[in-house]
Amino acid sequence: MKYLFNKVAIVGVGLLGGSLGLALKKRRLVRSVVGLGRNQQRLDRAVRKQAIDAYYLEPEWQSAVNDTELVVICTPVGDIVRIAKQLCRWLPAGSIITDVGSTKQSIVQQMDSFLKRERFPVYFVGSHPMAGSDQTGVEAAQADLFNRAVCIITPTKYTAEPAIQKVSQLWKSVGGNIIFLAPSRHDRYVAAISHLPHLVAASLVNSIEQVNRKDTTVLQLAAGGYKDTTRIASSSPELWRDICLENKTSIVSVLKLFEKELTRMKRAIETADSREIYHCFIQAKKARDKIK
């Protein structure tokens, strides 16, 4: 049997890393999948889930990757560059490192500069599968998580074409639809379509919690609308803290747009401007109805 990769190492075997391991194994795309991490109990759970074949704690990472063709880093974005630089020293020539981080510009720039300076014979390709859940941990991993998910590849002029093709093939093989974007465009677009909704959901929950502290009856009334709108507020706080710090310029820009829209609605309600209130809602409905 011809495999896409003989050995893949996944750093951070949580929801995304675990789902990738399950997908690779289910489709028989690799000979073996190993997990790299620091928490033995979590890695034990990943083995029991059959997301990985074996695991290595951090002191063993060097021996774990010295024959690895592909490393996929699935940690919070604040850790990706540090881990990638560490692994570059041990990987065999021609190996590829990619990631699943929700921010790209800073990560890709740092890795391009590092590899150009240090001349390690390995490749880095930034990628971001637009898939996930409000749940965390390998327990929530699913082999079909990436089916029909948009998977963004963010090459630069320094990224080797064979490495780009291999990473593209990886995400296609687990069901993803590939889009190529420059890292800066990725960060601007994702700030609007992904990061802002998470921030809005978190802020909404925090606002309602202030009401709830005064009268706990309020949450007894929580129905589908509130739960659907705020589901993503249950996502990993560590993950979203790092995203906000890594992509702060683009996020602040879209937050200003959101503040402007909130102010518009607030002013219309304060002045009982029924025409403007209706216009806000009909404008939103038309825009939302365009999404399939």
Side-chain angles (χ1 to χ4, degrees):
M1 177 182 293
K2 183 174 176 57
Y3 294 102
L4 181 58
F5 296 98
N6 281 313
K7 183 178 178 182
V8 171
I10 298 174
V11 188
V13 193
L15 172 65
L16 291 180
S19 295
L20 179 59
L22 288 171
L24 292 172
K25 288 163 63 64
K26 179 180 179 180
R27 292 167 173 78
R28 299 183 180 179
L29 297 170
V30 297
R31 187 183 300 275
S32 68
V33 182
V34 300
L36 307 186
R38 299 172 183 164
N39 188 305
Q40 186 169 359
Q41 291 181 333
R42 292 177 185 172
L43 291 166
D44 280 330
R45 290 196 293 269
V47 172
R48 290 197 296 270
K49 178 91 174 181
Q50 299 184 2
I52 55 176
D53 299 307
Y55 66 79
Y56 298 84
L57 298 174
E58 191 165 7
E60 304 169 312
W61 285 7
Q62 182 173 357
S63 60
V65 301
N66 60 17
D67 59 348
T68 298
E69 297 168 80
L70 174 72
V71 174
V72 186
I73 303 178
C74 302
T75 64
V77 292
D79 295 327
I80 289 173
V81 171
R82 176 184 59 79
I83 291 171
K85 288 180 177 180
Q86 181 181 358
L87 296 178
C88 280
R89 305 177 186 280
W90 304 324
L91 286 165
S95 294
I96 300 168
I97 301 175
T98 191
D99 70 308
V100 301
S102 185
T103 66
K104 289 271 81 78
Q105 186 169 11
S106 175
I107 290 169
V108 171
Q109 284 180 344
Q110 289 183 71
M111 288 307 302
D112 276 355
S113 298
F114 175 75
L115 290 172
K116 186 178 179 182
R117 181 178 69 251
E118 299 295 335
R119 299 184 181 276
F120 288 110
V122 300
Y123 306 106
F124 181 85
V125 181
S127 65
H128 176 205
M130 300 284 288
S133 167
D134 55 295
Q135 297 178 308
T136 59
V138 73
E139 294 84 359
Q142 308 168 44
D144 62 352
L145 185 70
F146 305 105
N147 283 355
R148 296 181 294 278
V150 173
C151 294
I152 306 169
I153 311 291
T154 57
T156 70
K157 63 182 180 180
Y158 301 109
T159 314
E161 186 61 30
I164 297 171
Q165 293 304 316
K166 273 286 193 178
V167 172
S168 299
Q169 193 175 359
L170 166 74
W171 294 119
K172 286 180 183 177
S173 297
V174 297
N177 298 320
I178 305 302
I179 291 180
F180 294 95
L181 287 176
S184 58
R185 289 181 68 196
H186 166 278
D187 285 5
R188 290 198 305 272
Y189 296 168
V190 174
I193 206 66
S194 175
H195 301 169
L196 179 60
H198 277 80
L199 298 177
V200 171
S203 298
L204 177 56
V205 171
N206 288 337
S207 299
I208 300 302
E209 181 58 21
Q210 293 182 50
V211 178
N212 184 59
R213 287 173 190 158
K214 297 177 181 178
D215 187 347
T216 56
T217 305
V218 66
L219 287 184
Q220 297 177 29
L221 309 180
Y226 177 76
K227 292 177 180 178
D228 290 345
T229 305
T230 60
R231 175 185 54 80
I232 53 179
S234 293
S235 300
S236 166
E238 179 186 19
L239 173 74
W240 282 98
R241 175 201 62 197
D242 287 0
I243 287 171
C244 289
L245 295 175
E246 287 284 330
N247 200 24
K248 63 180 182 180
T249 300
S250 294
I251 288 175
V252 168
S253 178
V254 293
L255 278 173
K256 289 178 179 177
L257 293 176
F258 183 64
E259 287 176 337
K260 183 178 179 181
E261 284 299 316
L262 274 182
T263 299
R264 173 190 174 199
M265 179 66 87
K266 176 173 171 284
R267 185 180 298 117
I269 294 171
E270 285 177 336
T271 59
D273 187 341
S274 62
R275 184 175 180 179
E276 179 65 5
I277 294 170
Y278 177 79
H279 184 67
C280 288
F281 283 117
I282 196 66
Q283 182 181 12
K285 176 175 170 51
K286 287 180 179 179
R288 180 61 179 84
D289 288 350
K290 293 176 185 177
I291 302 173
K292 302 296 185 181

